[in-house]
Amino acid sequence: MQTRTKIGIGLTAAVLAAGITAIPVSRQRTGGGQGVAAFREARAFAVSSELRQIDGPYGLLLGDSQMERLYLPELCGHPAVNAAIAGTRISGLRAVAGWLELPRPPEAIVVTIGTNDLTQRQRSGQLGAAEQFRAEARALFADLVPRARRVVATAVPPFDAGRPGVTKFYDVAAAPAYSAILSEECARAGCRFVDAFADLRDAAGMGRSPDGVHLGLDSAARDRIAARLQTAACPELPVHAR
């Protein structure tokens, strides 16, 4: 009975930690810990079960809350499974990817990551944070590329630096450098890089963000993001079929 209680408390803490990460609040948590790891492993187990229920080709979406919030039921004309988890940093994403059991190689894997690696806690609290991010990115893409027909990585989504609290909790100025790292390491591994959020980086696009950190998504914004992702993930398809 005590064991069950401890597990329940741990999973509840993990859910809360994952849910509040990437939102500028005073109790922000972006770390790991046994509870968070258990939650991510359980999520990977659930996604693996979902993948086994799909007959034929499929796509896989990986990342943090930016990807988790994106409604993209199809990719390249095939079902797309969203395995993103709020609060994930690049090191956590490597763990999730390792836990996933793919029934067969997906047609495409799309990765959006980096927002939680840009928290001030991660940037200022660790020496060589950018170098560590690069090493994790290199290892992540090296792991993913052999497992899929094509891997696509996106730029880090935009921040609205003018919103109260955003620059207090995030190193916004470092975002372009982290996107460049993703681009370089993606190219090194043989995957494709795209700024799927290009038209959301202007004042109008950032103004639609609910908190200055997450994307301001509606059906039109979703369709533009999806079009860019599918151009990168399935360039062989006719434009009308993407």
Side-chain angles (χ1 to χ4, degrees):
M1 197 65 180
Q2 289 181 342
T3 300
R4 290 183 180 179
T5 300
K6 290 179 180 179
I7 291 174
I9 293 172
L11 288 177
T12 299
V15 171
L16 291 174
I20 64 175
T21 303
I23 298 177
V25 293
S26 60
R27 293 185 180 181
Q28 182 188 57
R29 292 184 60 187
T30 58
Q34 292 181 348
V36 173
F39 173 77
R40 290 174 179 158
E41 188 171 10
R43 176 66 180 139
F45 177 80
V47 170
S48 297
S49 177
E50 185 176 351
L51 291 173
R52 287 193 292 271
Q53 299 174 57
I54 297 176
D55 295 325
Y58 67 96
L60 182 63
L61 312 178
L62 295 175
D64 51 29
S65 58
Q66 304 283 16
M67 179 62 83
E68 186 181 46
R69 296 172 69 249
L70 183 66
Y71 175 64
L72 193 64
E74 288 190 357
L75 184 66
C76 302
H78 306 298
V81 175
N82 196 326
I85 303 175
T88 303
R89 300 197 308 270
I90 196 166
S91 57
L93 182 57
R94 282 191 63 206
V96 171
W99 286 324
L100 286 174
E101 297 179 6
L102 307 182
R104 55 197 167 279
E107 292 297 293
I109 295 176
V110 178
V111 177
T112 294
I113 198 68
T115 297
N116 299 304
D117 294 277
L118 285 163
T119 62
Q120 296 288 4
R121 177 181 178 182
Q122 293 301 312
R123 290 281 297 152
S124 62
Q126 299 184 28
L127 295 176
E131 291 77 7
Q132 181 62 31
F133 184 80
R134 180 181 294 279
E136 294 284 357
R138 184 173 299 181
L140 174 67
F141 295 135
D143 290 343
L144 293 179
V145 167
R147 302 182 72 187
R149 180 180 177 192
R150 183 167 288 128
V151 175
V152 174
T154 77
V156 178
F159 292 92
D160 185 353
R163 297 284 188 95
V166 171
T167 56
K168 177 180 179 181
F169 288 99
Y170 295 90
D171 188 350
V172 175
Y178 273 43
S179 289
I181 290 172
L182 290 169
S183 176
E184 292 160 7
E185 296 306 325
C186 175
R188 177 192 294 271
C191 73
R192 295 171 180 262
F193 179 84
V194 61
D195 185 358
F197 321 109
D199 67 331
L200 297 176
R201 296 186 184 278
D202 60 13
M206 290 187 292
R208 289 193 295 269
S209 169
D211 54 13
V213 177
H214 293 93
L215 298 168
L217 295 171
D218 55 20
S219 60
R222 184 274 318 281
D223 288 347
R224 293 193 298 272
I225 292 170
R228 291 189 177 95
L229 293 178
Q230 298 202 114
T231 295
C234 40
E236 69 280 358
L237 289 183
V239 174
H240 70 273
R242 291 176 187 165

